[in-house]
Amino acid sequence: MKAALSLKRLLSVIESEKPVGLEDKALSDWSTKNEDAVSYVKLSVSDEQALHYANEDNAKTLWKKIKSNFIGQAEDRKIDAGNELRNLRLCEKEEISGNIARARGLATKCASLGLDVTERELAFYVVRGLTGKYTKIREILKTQREKSIDNLLETLREEETLQNNIGMPTEVSNPDLAFTAVRRQRQKRVCYFCRKPNHVMKDCFIRKRIEAQKKPRFYNSSRKK
């Protein structure tokens, strides 16, 4: 509404009081702007809402009343949008691209309500909301906070493809061609754990070594010293 009033050069009458000492043409010009602004504002609300302001003919006072009535609702919507983004979760059978598109939509909604969301925050909420088969990659991505949302999408799409291929039939008519195809595919990949080429995360020896080091070692108390 403010943008529309600004375009019509009427913003001044809802932001400032009526100037003192206006006469003749100056008074006529201000009165015309005031009436136009009142009309634009009243036409922008529903008929039921307009009834509450039917007797108000001062643009600044009218704007102040509308703002006081609706500011509480706007704050509630801002809180709801922020909570919705913070509670973002990957739904069952939801594709990664759809999940990130939903996250971006919520960030846009927050911004429209005056709640800015940085790209780092958005990536944080997306990673935290990963569930199910993405639990392991979620823990790895928590240590890679510098990833942009686009890089995150690329990484998760790769994981999605890998997860979707698990359990697929391995019998083929020509095993040699299948081996060549897999080898070429792996040569194009970069492990997003160690960032080295020619293998994927599930085959990463660095990841396996770190996970092995984290496992508790049990001391055999019966062994003689």
Side-chain angles (χ1 to χ4, degrees), residues 46-219:
S46 67
D47 293 340
E48 182 180 355
Q49 293 167 345
L51 289 174
H52 294 288
Y53 316 109
N55 297 325
E56 185 55 63
D57 58 3
N58 182 277
K60 180 175 174 59
T61 304
L62 172 63
W63 185 260
K64 185 177 180 180
K65 287 182 178 180
I66 291 178
K67 188 175 181 180
S68 64
N69 287 338
F70 288 95
I71 192 67
Q73 296 180 24
E75 286 296 320
D76 290 344
R77 288 197 299 272
K78 183 193 297 186
I79 294 171
D80 289 339
N83 287 336
E84 193 174 356
L85 180 60
R86 283 187 287 271
N87 294 324
L88 179 72
R89 293 294 182 272
L90 179 67
C91 299
E92 186 178 0
K93 296 183 179 179
E94 183 180 24
E95 293 184 352
I96 288 298
S97 57
N99 176 256
I100 290 185
R102 186 157 59 91
R104 281 173 163 160
L106 288 173
T108 301
K109 181 179 179 181
C110 288
S112 70
L113 294 169
L115 182 62
D116 292 331
V117 179
T118 66
E119 185 165 306
R120 188 180 181 90
E121 286 179 294
L122 184 59
F124 172 81
Y125 294 135
V126 169
V127 170
R128 192 175 66 175
L130 295 174
T131 58
K133 59 186 178 182
Y134 296 99
T135 302
K136 183 176 289 187
I137 188 64
R138 179 188 65 198
E139 298 306 312
I140 295 172
L141 291 173
K142 282 182 178 180
T143 66
Q144 301 177 6
R145 299 298 190 191
E146 73 284 354
K147 277 186 177 293
S148 67
I149 195 68
D150 289 328
N151 290 336
L152 188 62
L153 175 59
E154 182 181 354
T155 298
L156 290 174
R157 273 180 172 171
E158 182 180 346
E159 177 69 11
E160 184 176 50
T161 301
L162 182 64
Q163 293 287 348
N164 290 338
N165 288 336
I166 293 177
M168 293 182 64
T170 56
E171 294 182 3
V172 292
S173 58
N174 191 332
D176 292 335
L177 290 178
F179 176 78
T180 302
V182 171
R183 185 179 180 184
R184 287 178 179 175
Q185 184 180 24
R186 288 189 173 184
Q187 286 176 344
K188 293 179 181 179
R189 289 183 174 180
V190 175
C191 173
Y192 46 75
F193 186 86
C194 68
R195 308 309 298 172
K196 293 182 179 180
N198 303 333
H199 69 279
V200 294
M201 189 196 73
K202 71 181 184 69
D203 299 323
C204 181
F205 73 94
I206 296 179
R207 178 185 67 81
K208 292 179 180 179
R209 185 177 63 189
I210 293 175
E211 289 184 352
Q213 292 174 348
K214 290 182 179 179
K215 292 181 179 179
R217 297 182 179 179
F218 296 96
Y219 178 73

Side-chain angles (χ1 to χ4, degrees), residues 1-37:
M1 192 66 243
K2 290 183 73 174
L5 292 173
S6 177
L7 186 64
K8 298 292 184 179
R9 303 293 189 272
L10 300 174
L11 198 58
S12 60
V13 293
I14 70 167
E15 293 183 336
S16 306
E17 298 289 349
K18 177 182 177 181
V20 179
L22 292 179
E23 296 180 357
D24 302 332
K25 188 176 184 305
L27 178 60
S28 177
D29 289 344
W30 184 91
S31 298
T32 299
K33 284 186 175 183
N34 179 73
E35 291 173 4
D36 288 348

